[in-house]
Amino acid sequence: MTTTTVVPRRHPKGAGLAPLAGYLARRLLSAAVVVAIVSMLVFAFVHAAPGGPERSIGGRFATAEQLVAIREQYRLNDPLWTQYGQFVSSALGLDFGTSYSMREPVTDSISRAASTTVPLVLFGWLAALLIGTALGVVSARHAGGAFDRGVLGFTVVGASAPIFATAILLSYVFGVALGWLPTLGEGDGGMDRIRHLVLPGVTLAIAAMAAITKVTKVRVGQVLEADHITFATARGLPPRGVLVSEVLRNSGVQLVTQAGAVLVAMLSAVILVEEVFDLDGLGSLLIQAITARDIPLIQAITLFTCIFIVAVNLVVDLVCMAIDPRLRIGRGGVTR
Amino acid sequence: MSTSLTLTGWRTRRPRRRPGIPVGVLIAAVLLLVPIVCVLFPSLGPGNATRIVASDALLTPSAEHWLGTDSLGRDVFARMVHGASSALLGPLLLASVTVAISTVLALIAGYYRGWADGVISRFVDVLYSVPPLVVAVVLVGVLGGGFWLGVAVLTVFNLPHNVRVLRAAVEEQAQLPYIEAAKTLGTKSIRILWRHLVPVISPLIVASFFLRFTYGIVDLSALSFLGLGVPPGSTDWGRMLAENRVTMLQNFWATAAPGLALIVMAVSANIVGDWLYNRYEAAGRAR
């Protein structure tokens, strides 16, 4: 018996390239516009604070002379457009001024906090991606079975329970009642730090995992009903081969889109998780800045968050185009 | 080699469809009624929600204090009952306004199409990937507007998802023969929308109401938990969670009760919403 491998014909090389470049240019432009608009709103924060900017810098007990001096020092008497230009040009050089409450350059506070938040989010996200996709695939294959029903229960609870409530309950069960893991602070480096980040990371992962499992299950379920899966199985492809080359490839666009959405959604979850577990990350830094009316710090965190969201969306769209050639030739709209 | 032709690879088993309302959904619906009972009978139970009795601080559950007391000696059970209205009101308002506005926008965009569709879809695309809670935290934090500003901000940022789901349904329905038939008969488009199209997608509208209600509970209680929602001293489940968790070792139930109540409320609303949504989807496929 001779076997011939059927190699799927690739899309002719180069055919999709010109529209791709145009699409990329359009996307970058619109990303820049979004960031510019947000930067204006963020700039306006200075003047939106109750009692005006000089009040928020000087505090409640500043005298009239002090307020005048502050207006002078922070150039608050200049026209708004000059102030905005000043803000943008220093922001481009990553200079957001000095934090009122931390008494240090804003970028220093942010990079220190990021060293806690970034590993935390990355761990939660990757764990959620791996386990969530696996759970979704298995439950789609055994749809209606006991495993599927169990997973369904988990996704409903994981996706809708308020994350700070689950965080507190988890920290009580594993930190206090069982005493397995520390629940407060970020530890003193090395293994201790990892031990401190386990519970917050798992909490983050559970919520994200639920969302990923749900989408994976729905999409993989759809793909499994398609004729080409029956055909691939009939050709005698091993189930694992079918899974990778047919099922996952055809679900890729939806999975990648959801992975991006989950990463963005983790931004709000991480604020709450850091508050519960008393971690000095970006989320608690933001809350601290808000409590202290520390406008430069709020501005910088908001702007970085916005740039992060825009970048994630851009990367998601590009990865989707790499996965699905059909998206490259059209006008570039990714249908979700 | 097996000679049978059954394909045992990656075929799905179709889930059996059960008639009637599943037990889980019924339980969820009943649980959603509990806070309403609390709102109707605010003086349930023996305790007092606001009276501070310093000598009674941090008692564990007893016949006198069903869930014990918090660090100021206030009765936790009474505070739970009292806090139900705050837990319901914000999410109810958020969900109703979101659903009302997004239904109108979806009808305009999905049925009339044209430039209005372009404008609405751009608005949806731009705001779609923004996490509502982060915006609410920053805006409420900077402007200091409190609870109602939070509700307003969350409503605006809940719109995009809802508009997208409803718009897709409207567009799908608008191409079906019954709409075309109504058009051919010369029915006014307003009448087509309200008498023909809206009734068909109404299960989806109700489902989206429950899903928005879920997000409302989660995000509004998160704002209160962070100290940005209801003012200090209010009886609110999110706030209770934040205040009582430092004394969790003394009275576990002062923290667990609001936490579990929030989880149960959010999960129940989500179960009801999901069930309605799946039923609408299944009905669409059967047609």
Side-chain angles (χ1 to χ4, degrees), chain A residues 241-254:
Chain A
V242 177
L243 172 68
V244 174
S245 68
E246 305 271 339
V247 179
L248 286 185
R249 177 127 200 225
N250 275 288
S251 325
V253 169
Q254 283 77 10

Side-chain angles (χ1 to χ4, degrees), chain A residues 118-130:
Chain A
V118 171
L120 185 63
V121 169
L122 268 186
F123 167 79
W125 187 59
L126 290 176
L129 280 189
L130 286 175

Side-chain angles (χ1 to χ4, degrees), chain A residues 141 176 224 230 239 276 293 313, chain B residues 9-11 129 141 218 245 249:
Chain A
R141 187 181 176 192
V176 180
L224 284 177
T230 315
V276 172
R293 300 227 159 281
N313 284 318
Chain B
W10 287 90
R11 275 315 268 193
S129 58
V218 172
R245 77 191 169 98
L249 291 180

Side-chain angles (χ1 to χ4, degrees), chain B:
Chain B
M1 256 318 243
S2 148
T3 48
S4 108
L5 276 174
T6 30
L7 303 171
T8 49
W10 287 90
R11 275 315 268 193
T12 51
R13 260 189 295 154
R14 269 186 182 284
R16 277 174 295 148
R17 277 203 60 76
R18 294 145 196 261
I21 304 179
V23 186
V25 175
L26 264 183
I27 296 175
V30 171
L31 286 173
L32 278 180
L33 295 177
V34 173
I36 299 176
V37 175
C38 293
V39 174
L40 293 179
F41 303 98
S43 50
L44 271 177
N48 184 306
T50 46
R51 198 176 58 222
I52 297 174
V53 186
S55 56
D56 284 354
L58 296 170
L59 297 176
T60 44
S62 62
E64 203 181 334
H65 301 288
W66 291 354
L67 289 171
T69 54
D70 65 9
S71 58
L72 295 175
R74 294 173 297 193
D75 183 75
V76 174
F77 184 82
R79 288 181 73 72
M80 287 298 298
V81 174
H82 207 238
S85 61
S86 144
L88 273 184
L89 197 64
L92 267 181
L93 187 73
L94 182 147
S96 326
V97 176
T98 306
V99 168
I101 297 178
S102 57
T103 304
V104 173
L105 290 181
L107 286 174
I108 294 172
Y111 185 79
Y112 293 102
R113 315 295 296 272
W115 64 267
D117 185 25
V119 171
I120 292 169
S121 297
R122 283 306 297 161
F123 161 78
V124 168
D125 286 345
V126 169
L127 294 190
Y128 192 75
S129 58
V130 181
L133 185 63
V134 176
V135 185
V137 165
V138 170
L139 284 186
V140 174
V142 170
L143 302 175
F147 188 69
W148 297 111
L149 180 68
V151 174
V153 172
L154 290 174
T155 303
V156 171
F157 283 86
N158 264 296
L159 278 176
H161 288 78
N162 228 38
V163 171
R164 192 172 272 189
V165 171
L166 293 178
R167 187 199 166 282
V170 171
E171 194 187 358
E172 191 190 352
Q173 294 295 327
Q175 293 162 354
L176 294 180
Y178 75 96
I179 297 291
E180 207 176 323
K183 276 187 196 161
T184 319
L185 287 171
T187 318
K188 283 206 182 98
S189 48
I190 280 287
R191 193 180 158 83
I192 295 181
L193 289 179
W194 290 114
R195 298 301 294 272
H196 298 274
L197 215 157
V198 168
V200 175
I201 63 164
S202 60
L204 193 61
I205 296 176
V206 178
S208 75
F209 173 85
F210 278 98
L211 295 184
R212 293 306 132 195
F213 183 74
T214 308
Y215 293 124
I217 295 173
V218 172
D219 285 352
L220 284 171
S221 61
L223 276 184
S224 296
F225 177 75
L226 291 172
L228 293 169
V230 292
S234 334
T235 39
D236 176 274
W237 294 349
R239 185 128 206 140
M240 285 171 73
L241 206 48
E243 285 167 356
N244 296 345
R245 77 191 169 98
V246 282
T247 57
M248 205 166 179
L249 291 180
Q250 285 90 346
N251 182 10
F252 171 72
W253 287 105
T255 314
L260 288 174
L262 284 170
I263 293 178
V264 167
M265 285 276 287
V267 171
S268 302
N270 196 13
I271 287 176
V272 174
D274 258 1
W275 176 71
L276 286 168
Y277 182 80
N278 288 336
R279 248 171 49 122
Y280 174 82
E281 286 275 284
R285 251 182 277 128
R287 208 175 287 131

